[in-house]
């Protein structure tokens, strides 16, 4: 499957995956972040139950401390 | 019929062109009176919030809703828009005073509250844009989740990554979609050896204010 991840096309061998699996496959380990799929924010507690589909637009944003 | 549709489309483009030009052609007093119609919420009155609020006040934003529960400490003066004789005061009260000294026409509403998932939609109800101006990354995450889920459609401008000094070229503005905008380098986490200093925090705070103005200038 192909998805758009932060405006870049990314290919995965799986046909379907949930958000947690995507984070694991990409080795995204930094914990403080927000993820939006097709413009909808996905809260942390729904990472396991939210499926990413072919052609989905996934935006991920890391949150750094400081302000 | 095809001709008629084409003509209408052309007309729409001409109207849009003229409208855009009117925006471009506004002088400062027209821009200020346009911005005066809007209400901006600022979550946090530290380095980002205080500097962003001052930039928006100078530009003429009509109403600012400030929320913070903290008291000014001496250590805040390295980057936050407060003065030495205000140490010990509530940030919201002191910031309102500083804003009023700069531009008394701004209507400033203050809330001495620790923001949470329940009170955020109440405190910032009616805001045309919300600025995320927290220090801690956990709070940033909580605010983004709350606004994006419970206040859908309200544009949110966040700050992420501004610790340290130099590297001005790494600080950027990124529009994620119509409701989420990010300012910062998205990588510099504040720590003991990468502290927060006035210049980079000020750059991000002013970049957030700039994003707010850009959003408001497109609203009628």
């Amino acid at each position: 499957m192909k998805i758009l991840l932060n405006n870049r096309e990314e290919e995965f061998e799986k046909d379907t995956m949930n958000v947690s699996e995507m984070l694991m496959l990409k080795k995204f380990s930094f914990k403080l972040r927000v993820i939006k799929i097709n413009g909808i924010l996905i809260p942390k507690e729904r990472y396991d139950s939210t499926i990413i589909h072919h052609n989905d637009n996934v935006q991920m944003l890391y949150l750094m401390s400081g302000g | 019929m095809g001709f008629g549709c084409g003509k209408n489309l052309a007309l729409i483009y001409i109207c849009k062109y003229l409208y855009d030009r009117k925006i471009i052609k506004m002088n400062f007093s027209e821009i200020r009176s346009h911005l005066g119609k809007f209400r901006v919420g600022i979550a946090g009155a530290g380095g980002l919030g205080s500097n962003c609020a001052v930039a928006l006040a100078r530009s003429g934003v009509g109403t600012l809703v400030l929320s913070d529960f903290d008291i000014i400490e001496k250590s805040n003066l390295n980057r936050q828009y407060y003065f030495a004789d205000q140490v010990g005061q509530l940030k919201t009260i002191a910031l309102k005073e500083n804003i009023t000294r700069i531009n008394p026409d701004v209507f400033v509403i203050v809330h001495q509250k620790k923001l949470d998932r329940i009170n955020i939609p109440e405190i910032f109800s009616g805001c045309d844009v919300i600025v995320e101006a927290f220090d801690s990354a956990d709070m940033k995450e909580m605010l983004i989740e709350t606004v994006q889920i419970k206040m859908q459609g309200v544009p949110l401008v966040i700050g992420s990554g501004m610790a340290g000094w130099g590297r001005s070229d790494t600080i950027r503005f990124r529009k994620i979609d119509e409701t989420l905008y990010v300012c910062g380098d998205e990588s510099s986490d504040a720590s003991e050896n990468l502290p927060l200093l006035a210049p980079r925090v000020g750059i991000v705070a002013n970049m957030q204010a700039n994003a707010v103005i850009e959003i408001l200038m497109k609203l009628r």
Side-chain angles (χ1 to χ4, degrees), chain A residues 27-52:
Chain A
K27 300 190 171 71
F28 291 145
S29 55
F30 192 82
K31 287 277 178 275
L32 288 155
R33 63 167 102 76
V34 290
I35 290 178
K36 291 186 91 170
I37 300 178
N38 302 330
I40 309 286
L41 189 133
I42 311 297
K44 269 206 165 72
E45 61 271 19
R46 282 198 227 137
Y47 282 1
D48 287 338
S49 61
T50 303
I51 306 296
I52 301 175

Side-chain angles (χ1 to χ4, degrees), chain B residues 41-217:
Chain B
I42 301 181
L48 290 177
S50 63
N51 286 294
C52 183
V54 165
L56 292 174
R58 289 191 199 276
S59 307
V61 169
T63 306
L64 294 174
V65 181
L66 313 172
S67 181
D68 200 298
F69 63 94
D70 235 350
I71 277 166
I72 301 164
E73 291 174 44
K74 214 177 158 189
S75 64
N76 299 150
L77 299 180
N78 77 334
R79 66 185 191 280
Q80 306 187 12
Y81 211 107
Y82 301 108
F83 300 95
D85 60 8
Q86 292 178 317
V87 169
Q89 288 183 29
L90 277 163
K91 288 185 179 177
T92 45
I93 303 293
L95 186 54
K96 182 176 180 171
E97 182 193 315
N98 296 345
I99 287 169
T100 306
R101 285 178 67 190
I102 292 165
N103 182 358
D105 295 335
V106 182
F107 186 52
V108 185
I109 299 166
V110 298
H111 293 271
Q112 277 82 252
K113 279 199 183 124
K114 186 167 166 67
L115 290 169
D116 58 37
R117 287 174 200 271
I118 308 295
N119 64 22
I120 285 170
E122 295 162 16
I123 286 176
F124 296 120
S125 81
C127 287
D128 299 289
V129 185
I130 297 173
V131 175
E132 177 282 310
F134 288 133
D135 195 23
S136 101
D138 293 283
M139 287 292 281
K140 288 177 191 284
E141 187 188 65
M142 184 278 292
L143 181 98
I144 298 166
E145 283 195 8
T146 307
V147 172
Q148 295 261 291
I149 291 169
K150 294 189 177 168
M151 302 180 77
Q152 280 181 27
V154 181
L156 175 62
V157 181
I158 78 146
S160 178
M162 70 214 71
W165 59 93
R167 300 170 293 124
S168 298
D169 58 329
T170 62
I171 298 174
R172 59 185 179 157
F173 167 74
R174 189 157 76 93
K175 178 180 176 176
I176 289 188
D177 55 38
E178 290 301 322
T179 60
L180 190 58
Y181 303 79
V182 192
C183 304
D185 68 15
E186 298 183 47
S187 66
S188 299
D189 214 13
S191 65
E192 202 185 337
N193 296 313
L194 199 65
L196 296 161
L197 300 177
R200 284 187 116 236
V201 174
I203 290 169
V204 173
N206 283 285
M207 211 177 231
Q208 288 182 293
N210 204 20
V212 170
I213 290 172
E214 191 173 7
I215 293 164
L216 296 180
M217 290 306 290

